[in-house]
């Protein structure tokens, strides 16, 4: 345009858009995306490995702070990673939209007019004509799935429109897939809950130990149901010496009550339970010894199962009991649980097998202010012992308390009694919902089918012209096509009938 | 779950795998002789013929070894690094031998045989573990689908990589006398493209199948686990390669280099990521 100056914003806008939507830019952005994804596998990510990030901060706080300022612990939600894939998708849409228009026109249009100089085509043969062969050519080309246009002295044919259709559908599917990922993640939620055998979970926000909602989550997404963990079973390999103690199955038997019906089913790894509005997954397990603690004046200061966190593959487990209501002094206990205990030379214990064959509890008992009354939230799995007095323990004035199932022991100094009443297991359950999943799968499979067509179908134009006793065959392909010669030879054979 | 593992049988399987290694080494020698002679005599084909017979025999023996390993473990033989490696080598050789009937891909025999040999050697000497019970997270039919397609994709990528290498050698003008006997650059590029194409589709499927499995096993379809990251990177690099093949100025050497980078990422994903990166896919068994 004469009026638009070389340096006008419109000029630069167009220039920028042309650059962005060019194949070269798409290629560049793709490679950049691959590069940008690498750091996410080198540094721990908050989304996949929050503990790793915490550890990094503990060990190298300065480097960690630097990495964090570059968003290297959140690579896949970082500004730079997002910028690349958003640019890539803008480029994709900008490239695909005009191509769609072109393709729609091509789908409606007849094959092109036969070019003057067929001999310039990449595949070309000529022969002497035997009578009028154009009708026959038209028939043969049609039967081979070509779209055919009959002209005065020639036939123009084209096939393989599915190649571009596949290409476009593939790219649109990727856009839709990305939208489904975004929206699905927005409405998604996942919540964790630890359930001891016999406990019931009611699906509402207050019941979760931890809950992570997507940005578009609304509370009504949580549909009413309750779930009771009836029984938790771990199946160990008992037949193969090399694998003794290796768990081969975890089975959480639950009763699900959705308000109308009760149903009983098993949750296993790889086999989540379909609850109303969410799936329930089994993510962890451990032991929950049932303990009763009587304080110095004979009242029950604590009673019930205590969730012990597993520390190793033989299920040595660590648990904490806090009894702020005990009198005369508050009681805190750090306890170890050994499903199959064996005494080491040092006098300490170790678990030598993960199943409870010879279970043993050992306890360090503390007295003093547990710090629970100050209103500061405390981790239930940890006990701050800085202000407490150790009254029984390996380094204490008295040996640690050792209990087997059914036993009761007296705490030193008349602080009370403690009994190990029974052993239960607990299951860590994840309740998760992501409405995007199904759509993502649908778009991914559409993309997969589309890319197969896009890569395998060949777009070809064929011309047959009969002029002055001579018949010419020519073919042209979009892109590289090593089968053109063969096609022409085949066509000629079929048309000339020999 | 009443699986009885059979370690003695696994040892017999190991014998077969080792024997296959010997046969592959002989085949590799034959192919190397063939290349050496081809330089002077374009009609030479004796060594090649014998080479393919030995390669076929090696593949068969390897197949028996892999099968026996599966019987010994009472499941599909690809649940740890050793098993991935021997199954992968078997898959590459099988794809290659079948491809021979469809396209003339004799030229990369040295590369394919050598690659399979190195893979099996690494498996036997570095990755071997006795048969073990499957951990619960792996007890799924997705182990069959997801992994077998991943191994298949790797096989196609590997053969394509062979063509990329010979393309680059020929394009660089090294070893003219020999490289002149190879198909022209266009043809080498074309065959590499075909194999990468199939590999890309298979890889896409692996990615989707993996996401579906992850949704069942880990309650999310995608979590940027290290293995997921690298699967994604490989997919993107090969997508880049396919774009390059359709971009003026990017076909030829650049596309070949991209294809090799993609294959390098596949190898990296299988070795370094499996052994040294922390993640959920810790099934190396080492």
């Amino acid at each position: 345009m004469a009026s638009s100056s070389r340096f006008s914003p419109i000029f630069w806008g167009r220039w920028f858009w042309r650059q962005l939507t060019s194949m070269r830019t798409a290629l560049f952005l793709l490679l950049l995306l691959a590069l940008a994804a690498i750091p996410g596998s080198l540094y721990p990510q908050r989304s996949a490995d929050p503990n790793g990030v915490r550890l990094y901060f503990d060990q190298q706080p300065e480097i960690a702070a630097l990495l964090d300022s570059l968003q290297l612990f959140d690579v896949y939600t970082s500004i730079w990673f997002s910028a690349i894939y958003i640019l890539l998708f803008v480029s994709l849409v900008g490239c695909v939209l005009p191509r769609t228009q072109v393709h729609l026109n091509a789908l409606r249009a007849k094959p092109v007019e036969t070019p003057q100089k067929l001999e310039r085509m990449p595949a070309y043969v000529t022969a002497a004509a035997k009578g009028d062969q154009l009708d026959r050519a038209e028939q043969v080309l049609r039967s081979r799935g070509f779209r055919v246009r009959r002209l005065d002295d020639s036939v123009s044919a084209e096939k393989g429109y599915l190649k571009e259709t596949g290409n476009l559908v593939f790219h649109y599917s990727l856009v839709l897939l990305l939208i489904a990922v975004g929206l699905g993640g927005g409405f998604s939620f996942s919540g964790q809950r630890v359930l001891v055998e016999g406990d019931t979970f009611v699906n509402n926000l207050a019941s979760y130990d931890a809950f992570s909602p997507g940005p578009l989550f609304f509370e009504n997404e949580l549909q009413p149901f309750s779930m009771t963990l009836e029984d938790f079973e771990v199946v160990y390999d008992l037949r193969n010496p090399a694998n003794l103690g290796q768990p081969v199955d975890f089975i959480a038997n639950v009763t699900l009550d959705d308000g109308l019906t009760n149903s009983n089913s098993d949750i296993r790894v790889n086999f989540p339970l379909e609850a109303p509005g969410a799936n329930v997954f089994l993510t962890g397990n451990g032991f929950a010894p049932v303990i009763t603690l009587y304080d110095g004046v004979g009242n029950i200061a604590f009673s019930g199962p205590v969730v012990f966190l597993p520390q190793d593959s033989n299920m040595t487990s660590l648990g904490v009991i806090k009894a702020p209501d005990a009198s005369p002094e508050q009681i805190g206990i750090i306890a170890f649980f050994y499903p199959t205990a064996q005494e080491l030379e040092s006098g300490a214990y170790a678990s030598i097998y993960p199943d409870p064959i010879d279970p043993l509890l050992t306890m360090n008992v503390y007295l003093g202010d547990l710090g629970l009354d100050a209103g500061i939230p405390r981790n239930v799995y940890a006990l701050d012992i800085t202000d407490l007095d150790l009254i029984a323990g390996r380094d204490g004035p008295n040996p640690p308390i050792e209990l087997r199932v059914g036993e009761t022991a007296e705490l030193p100094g008349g602080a009370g009694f403690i009994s190990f009443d029974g052993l239960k297991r607990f299951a860590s359950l994840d309740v998760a919902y992501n409405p995007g999943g199904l759509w993502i799968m649908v778009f991914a499979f559409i993309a997969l089918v589309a890319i197969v067509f896009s890569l395998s179908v060949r777009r070809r134009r064929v011309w047959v012209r009969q002029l002055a006793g001579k018949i010419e065959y020519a073919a042209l392909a979009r892109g590289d096509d090593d089968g053109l010669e063969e096609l022409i030879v085949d066509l000629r054979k079929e048309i000339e009938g020999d | 779950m009443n699986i009885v593992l059979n370690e003695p049988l696994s040892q017999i399987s190991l014998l077969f795998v080792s024997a296959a290694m010997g046969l592959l080494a002989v085949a590799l020698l034959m192919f190397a002789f063939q290349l050496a002679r081809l330089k002077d005599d374009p009609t030479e084909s004796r060594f090649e013929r014998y080479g393919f017979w030995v390669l076929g025999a090696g593949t068969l023996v390897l197949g028996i070894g892999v099968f026996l390993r599966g019987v010994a473990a009472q499941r599909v033989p690809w649940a740890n690094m050793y098993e991935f490696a021997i199954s992968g080598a078997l898959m590459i050789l099988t794809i290659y031998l079948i491809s021979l009937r469809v396209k003339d891909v004799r030229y990369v025999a040295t590369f394919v045989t050598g690659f399979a040999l190195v893979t099996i050697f690494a498996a036997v000497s570095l990755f071997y573990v006795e048969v073990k019970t499957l951990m619960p997270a792996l007890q799924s039919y997705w182990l069959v689908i997801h992994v077998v397609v991943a191994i298949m994709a790797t096989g196609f990528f590997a053969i394509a990589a062979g063509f990329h290498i010979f393309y680059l050698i020929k394009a660089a003008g090294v070893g003219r006398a020999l490289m002149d006997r190879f198909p022209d650059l266009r043809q080498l590029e074309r065959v590499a493209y075909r194999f990468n194409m199939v590999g890309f589709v298979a890889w896409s499927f692996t990615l989707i199948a993996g996401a579906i499995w992850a949704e069942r096993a880990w309650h999310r379809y995608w979590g940027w686990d290290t293995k997921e990251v690298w699967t994604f990177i490989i997919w993107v690099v090969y997508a880049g390669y396919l774009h390059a093949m359709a971009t003026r100025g990017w076909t030829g050497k650049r596309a070949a280099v991209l294809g090799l980078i993609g294959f390098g990422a596949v190898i990296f994903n299988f070795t370094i990521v499996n052994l040294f990166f922390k993640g959920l896919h810790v099934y190396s068994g080492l």
Side-chain angles (χ1 to χ4, degrees):
Chain A
M1 259 189 282
S3 61
S4 91
S5 139
R6 212 179 132 61
F7 301 102
S8 75
I10 295 175
F11 171 84
W12 284 114
R14 281 193 181 149
W15 178 86
F16 179 73
W17 183 247
R18 250 199 330 272
Q19 292 304 313
L20 184 63
T21 58
S22 78
M23 272 293 256
R24 198 158 309 178
T25 309
L27 179 55
F28 172 73
L29 287 171
L30 269 173
L31 298 180
L32 202 60
L33 186 68
L35 266 181
I38 294 175
S41 69
L42 301 176
Y43 302 108
Q45 298 296 296
R46 285 210 172 83
S47 56
D49 181 17
N51 273 328
V53 179
R54 218 167 296 140
L55 214 63
Y56 211 110
F57 267 95
D58 286 348
Q59 289 168 350
Q60 292 156 297
E62 277 159 29
I63 300 175
L66 178 69
L67 294 177
D68 203 24
S69 67
L70 297 173
Q71 296 181 299
L72 283 166
F73 295 124
D74 309 278
V75 166
Y76 306 105
T77 50
S78 69
I79 293 171
W80 41 275
F81 191 80
S82 312
I84 296 169
Y85 77 76
I86 288 168
L87 269 180
L88 181 66
F89 271 84
V90 171
S91 157
L92 185 162
V93 171
C95 179
V96 166
L97 275 180
R99 279 181 80 148
T100 309
Q101 188 57 51
V102 170
H103 187 53
L104 286 177
N105 290 342
L107 282 175
R108 279 194 298 263
K110 293 180 196 161
V112 292
E113 296 223 9
T114 309
Q116 281 300 314
K117 301 195 164 159
L118 284 181
E119 65 274 17
R120 286 190 182 168
M121 292 302 158
Y124 177 79
V125 285
T126 180
K130 307 171 204 158
D132 185 18
Q133 290 177 318
L134 287 185
D135 284 343
R136 172 72 184 148
E138 195 179 335
Q139 192 191 344
V140 167
L141 285 166
R142 270 190 214 288
S143 72
R144 285 177 167 239
F146 278 87
R147 184 179 292 193
V148 180
R149 176 177 177 190
R150 179 68 184 263
L151 295 140
D152 286 343
D153 55 0
S154 66
V155 174
S156 172
E158 184 161 357
K159 79 180 275 190
Y161 294 85
L162 207 51
K163 184 181 189 66
E164 181 70 355
T165 308
N167 181 26
L168 296 173
V169 169
F170 172 77
H171 286 94
Y172 283 121
S173 303
L174 289 190
V175 175
L176 292 172
L177 191 149
L178 188 72
I179 293 172
V181 168
L183 283 180
F187 288 109
S188 74
F189 67 81
S190 84
Q192 286 76 46
R193 172 63 195 260
V194 167
L195 267 190
V196 177
E197 284 170 315
D199 276 4
T200 299
F201 159 79
V202 180
N203 189 29
N204 59 47
L205 276 181
S207 302
Y208 287 100
D209 299 329
F211 192 79
S212 36
L216 302 174
F217 169 80
F218 53 100
E219 207 172 331
N220 283 351
E221 279 185 57
L222 293 182
Q223 294 185 28
F225 68 84
S226 71
M227 187 172 59
T228 305
L229 179 64
E230 307 289 352
D231 177 60
F232 189 86
E233 189 191 350
V234 183
V235 182
Y236 292 98
D237 188 342
L238 297 175
R239 307 191 60 141
N240 302 295
N243 291 294
L244 281 184
Q246 174 114 335
V248 289
D249 210 354
F250 302 105
I251 306 163
N253 181 264
V254 296
T255 303
L256 184 74
D257 181 356
D258 61 6
L260 300 168
T261 52
N262 261 323
S263 60
N264 187 278
S265 41
D266 288 341
I267 309 178
R268 298 163 55 210
V269 181
N270 273 317
F271 300 94
L273 170 71
E274 283 178 35
N279 283 343
V280 185
F281 299 84
L282 178 62
T283 59
N285 72 96
F287 289 102
V290 182
I291 289 164
T292 306
L293 175 65
Y294 301 89
D295 64 12
V297 295
N299 291 327
I300 293 179
F302 178 90
S303 175
V306 181
V307 169
F308 276 52
L309 301 181
Q311 309 290 311
D312 61 25
S313 61
N314 279 331
M315 300 297 283
T316 302
S317 308
L318 177 65
V320 163
I321 300 160
K322 296 177 187 179
D325 298 330
S327 19
E329 268 191 287
Q330 297 186 351
I331 304 173
I333 295 172
I334 296 178
F336 286 93
F337 176 72
Y338 309 94
T340 302
Q342 189 179 52
E343 193 167 357
L344 305 174
E345 274 181 34
S346 65
Y349 288 92
S351 175
I352 53 166
Y353 190 72
D355 217 20
I357 292 172
D358 181 19
L360 174 75
L361 260 182
T362 69
M363 295 181 251
N364 294 346
V365 184
Y366 298 85
L367 296 182
D369 182 5
L370 300 178
L372 296 176
D373 306 327
I376 305 164
R378 302 280 180 189
N379 184 347
V380 293
Y381 298 112
L383 181 68
D384 182 3
I385 57 167
T386 41
D387 297 330
L388 302 179
D389 298 323
L390 180 66
I391 58 163
R394 273 178 65 73
D395 305 319
N398 301 292
I401 310 273
E402 291 177 11
L403 286 178
R404 295 182 192 274
V405 180
E407 290 180 350
T408 301
E410 190 175 355
L411 302 181
F417 292 89
I418 188 157
S419 64
F420 181 9
D421 303 327
L423 185 60
K424 291 184 172 185
R425 286 184 188 264
F426 72 84
S428 305
L429 299 172
D430 253 45
V431 181
Y433 169 65
N434 186 335
L438 179 69
W439 291 105
I440 292 164
M441 189 169 79
V442 167
F443 294 133
F445 274 112
I446 292 176
L448 186 68
V449 172
I451 192 73
V452 169
F453 282 114
S454 170
L455 290 173
S456 61
V457 170
R458 293 168 176 201
R459 182 86 173 262
R460 287 164 166 174
R461 284 176 178 172
V462 168
W463 297 278
V464 181
R465 180 157 60 198
Q466 187 167 15
L467 199 63
K470 192 175 82 169
I471 185 159
E472 293 172 288
Y473 303 88
L476 175 70
R478 176 175 291 180
D480 186 40
D481 189 337
D482 55 352
L484 277 185
E485 291 289 343
E486 201 187 327
L487 171 73
I488 292 286
V489 172
D490 276 3
L491 275 176
R492 187 188 153 193
K493 261 188 201 157
E494 202 176 334
I495 291 167
E496 296 180 5
D498 55 38
Chain B
M1 289 295 292
N2 267 316
I3 286 172
V4 181
L5 304 170
N6 191 339
E7 182 58 26
L9 187 61
S10 171
Q11 291 296 328
I12 295 173
S13 146
L14 187 59
L15 275 182
F16 275 92
V17 174
S18 308
M21 218 155 52
L23 287 168
L24 290 191
V26 172
L28 182 61
L29 273 180
M30 301 244 176
F31 293 134
F33 279 139
Q34 160 77 10
L35 282 185
R37 294 293 290 276
L38 195 63
K39 196 170 72 174
D40 309 314
D41 178 9
T43 60
E44 171 63 50
S45 68
R46 247 179 327 145
F47 286 116
E48 191 171 80
R49 226 172 29 244
Y50 299 150
F52 278 115
W53 278 111
V54 180
L55 185 64
T59 307
L60 190 70
V61 172
L62 178 63
I64 295 170
V66 170
F67 175 76
L68 289 182
R69 174 77 182 191
V71 175
Q74 298 269 298
R75 55 170 164 73
V76 288
W78 50 77
N80 54 46
M81 249 180 112
Y82 168 72
E83 294 171 5
F84 288 139
I86 57 171
S87 293
L90 177 64
M91 181 68 90
I92 291 168
L93 292 172
T94 310
I95 291 173
Y96 181 65
L97 290 174
I98 293 172
S99 311
L100 278 170
R101 305 205 149 264
V102 184
K103 272 206 149 43
D104 185 5
V105 290
R106 287 172 303 160
Y107 300 90
V108 289
T110 42
F111 174 81
V112 171
T113 311
F115 183 78
L117 189 59
V118 170
T119 308
I120 301 172
F121 179 76
V124 170
S125 60
L126 302 173
F127 306 149
Y128 184 82
V129 286
E130 46 187 75
V131 276
K132 292 220 175 100
T133 345
L134 223 46
M135 58 193 285
L138 284 181
Q139 294 167 17
S140 164
Y141 55 88
W142 286 109
L143 176 67
V144 183
I145 306 167
H146 168 63
V147 182
V148 87
V149 180
I151 294 175
M152 221 163 83
T154 307
F156 280 96
F157 285 149
I159 296 171
F163 277 91
H164 286 317
I165 289 171
F166 287 114
Y167 179 96
L168 290 174
I169 293 176
K170 187 162 180 153
V174 181
R176 276 251 167 73
L178 173 62
M179 294 315 290
D180 279 352
R181 313 269 183 232
F182 273 60
D184 62 24
L185 287 175
R186 236 177 115 78
Q187 193 59 27
L188 289 174
E189 181 174 38
R190 235 176 224 160
V191 179
Y193 181 65
R194 292 258 172 270
F195 277 94
N196 276 335
M197 220 166 76
V198 180
F200 181 76
V201 171
W203 197 261
S204 309
F205 181 85
T206 290
L207 210 151
I208 298 171
I212 298 173
W213 188 6
E215 204 276 327
R216 304 310 286 173
W218 300 327
H219 51 92
R220 84 287 185 295
Y221 57 83
W222 194 265
W224 296 108
D225 175 57
T226 46
K227 199 87 193 210
E228 291 170 344
V229 171
W230 279 93
T231 303
F232 171 78
I233 291 172
I234 290 162
W235 190 84
V236 172
V237 171
Y238 277 102
Y241 164 83
L242 292 179
H243 277 83
M245 288 299 285
T247 306
R248 200 170 301 136
W250 272 84
T251 53
K253 279 190 204 174
R254 288 182 176 183
V257 169
L258 269 183
L260 279 182
I261 292 176
F263 187 61
V266 171
I267 300 295
F268 185 84
N269 191 25
F270 177 67
T271 53
I272 308 295
V273 175
N274 268 7
L275 294 172
F276 302 112
F277 283 31
K278 193 178 158 191
L280 287 166
H281 289 77
V282 281
Y283 306 132
S284 70
L286 297 173

